[in-house]
Amino acid sequence: MSEKLKHITCDVAIIGAGPAGLSAATALKKEGIERVIVIDRETEGGGIPRHCGHPPFGILEYKRILTGPLYARRNVKTALSSGVELMLKTTVISLGAEGKLSLLSPDGPIELVAKRVLIATGTRETPRSARMVSGNRPLGICNTGALQSMVYLKNRIPFKQPVIVGSEIVSFSALFTCKKAGIKPVAMLEEKAGTSVMWPIKYVLNIIGVPLFLNTKITNIAGKDRVQSVTVVDKNGKEREIVCDGVLFTGKFIPESSLMRMSHLEIDQNIGMPRVDRYGRCSDPSYYVAGNIVFNPVKVAGKCWKSGQIAAQRIAKDLANQ
């Protein structure tokens, strides 16, 4: 027997309970918007910061230094106390015209119709498969999100002496996660001639004792049951082998735009993000975007939080016909 379809209406539906989504939801309630619903497929709200057990978070938002989990919980608590409704363990299946969403929740299918929809699904790191790295598929290969989830949420250690691929802000976040877990990376690899972070941060490598190899690309991963070594090549074509027991792929973020790609919304194929006007509206004016899905390169949590505030102000004015 098929499950009965549940119908819900609201003023604004927000897809994604990360810093941008929760910030926008809280700001919308302060603007007097009556019913605001935040939808997220995870079991807890807060987004990526939930997995980051290190500071600094919250300086812009709360004028204090917090760890990622504390910051995430603060964002959730602030939103809920403002009257925001949070629908967890709920997946958005499709985006329809004029704010009609198809959802799947633990209680069954839901059709939600919102006057406006804010998409704040963020970005994801480019996996090994998209980086064209050949070799076997042994244990010990993951990205930053998986590492932080294992260390901070599941109390597991995926490797002891990995190679870190990338030198973006998230790469150094991964480095701090490794330090906290007692993991000792053997090298950090960067394809470009310099790191992607500001100059003070990169000296953390010297303090922790991790060698940085610039103009160096990983080309092969060896190992049967677990990673045993990687092959790298420098700009001159010289190959070398680095012994390790894991590979941590970091950065190279791409928008989490799969929902939009399957929808009626127009996508800029050159950058893989939705086409938006100067107000952040998509080709269907019922839809807006905020947070890291519109940033390139990826921005830190505070910037996403601010993006949510701006999006909320624009949506509130839109609903008021301003």
Side-chain angles (χ1 to χ4, degrees):
M1 184 176 178
S2 60
E3 294 181 273
K4 186 177 180 180
L5 181 64
K6 184 178 179 180
H7 297 271
I8 298 175
T9 60
C10 66
D11 294 294
V12 181
I14 299 174
I15 307 173
L22 292 173
S23 169
T26 303
L28 283 164
K29 291 298 294 181
K30 290 180 179 179
E31 292 285 344
I33 305 303
E34 187 173 344
R35 191 174 190 190
V36 180
I37 298 177
V38 180
I39 307 158
D40 201 286
R41 62 190 177 190
E42 296 291 333
T43 57
E44 294 180 41
I48 294 300
R50 276 194 316 128
H51 307 161
C52 305
H54 56 76
F57 289 87
I59 298 174
L60 170 68
E61 306 88 320
Y62 303 113
K63 305 299 184 291
R64 61 182 60 189
I65 298 176
L66 303 171
T67 63
L70 288 175
Y71 171 75
R73 289 196 290 271
R74 180 76 176 264
N75 285 342
V76 171
K77 183 179 179 180
T78 302
L80 292 176
S81 63
S82 299
V84 173
E85 298 176 50
L86 188 56
M87 293 178 63
L88 298 173
K89 295 188 285 186
T90 302
T91 302
V92 180
I93 303 300
S94 65
L95 309 176
E98 299 181 347
K100 182 180 290 186
L101 308 179
S102 295
L103 315 178
L104 186 60
S105 76
D107 297 324
I110 300 172
E111 181 184 83
L112 186 151
V113 179
K115 295 176 183 177
R116 296 294 182 270
V117 177
L118 177 63
I119 303 172
T121 48
T123 58
R124 55 187 172 86
E125 291 175 292
T126 301
R128 172 194 177 175
S129 57
R131 299 184 191 228
M132 307 300 287
V133 178
S134 63
N136 299 329
R137 297 188 176 278
L139 294 173
I141 303 173
C142 65
N143 60 21
T144 310
L147 169 70
Q148 293 177 331
S149 177
M150 281 187 275
V151 171
Y152 294 120
L153 302 182
K154 301 174 183 176
N155 198 29
R156 293 174 54 194
I157 306 298
F159 36 55
K160 294 182 178 179
Q161 294 182 305
V163 164
I164 298 177
V165 180
S167 66
E168 300 175 32
I169 291 177
V170 69
S171 311
F172 286 81
S173 175
L175 192 64
F176 288 128
T177 300
C178 287
K179 188 175 187 301
K180 182 177 180 64
I183 299 169
K184 298 181 179 180
V186 296
M188 178 178 281
L189 311 178
E190 173 53 59
E191 295 181 23
K192 300 176 183 177
T195 60
S196 303
V197 297
M198 296 181 292
W199 69 266
I201 300 177
K202 67 181 182 182
Y203 288 105
V204 170
L205 289 169
N206 295 334
I207 297 172
I208 297 179
V210 178
L212 171 65
F213 297 100
L214 300 174
N215 294 307
T216 301
K217 181 179 180 179
I218 181 171
T219 58
N220 187 72
I221 299 174
K224 186 177 179 181
D225 298 321
R226 169 168 287 282
V227 174
Q228 295 179 335
S229 67
V230 298
T231 302
V232 301
V233 60
D234 63 21
K235 65 177 181 179
N236 298 317
K238 183 179 179 180
E239 286 189 346
R240 59 173 294 190
E241 183 181 47
I242 300 178
V243 176
C244 58
D245 68 351
V247 181
L248 180 60
F249 289 102
T250 68
K252 283 195 174 182
F253 286 92
I254 54 178
E256 185 56 83
S257 58
S258 54
L259 259 179
M260 287 169 285
R261 288 181 178 277
M262 296 185 293
S263 75
H264 63 297
L265 301 177
E266 293 181 10
I267 300 293
D268 186 330
Q269 298 301 331
N270 293 322
I271 56 177
M273 294 189 286
R275 293 185 185 277
V276 296
D277 65 14
R278 64 194 180 106
Y279 300 108
R281 288 181 299 199
C282 299
S283 54
D284 178 342
S286 299
Y287 288 84
Y288 284 73
V289 293
N292 264 330
I293 197 165
V294 289
F295 285 136
N296 191 18
V298 67
K299 297 296 183 183
V300 295
K303 295 284 187 179
C304 294
W305 182 89
K306 184 64 176 177
S307 172
Q309 297 276 299
I310 295 170
Q313 293 168 8
R314 290 170 174 171
I315 293 172
K317 289 182 178 180
D318 186 7
L319 290 172
N321 296 316
Q322 297 178 9

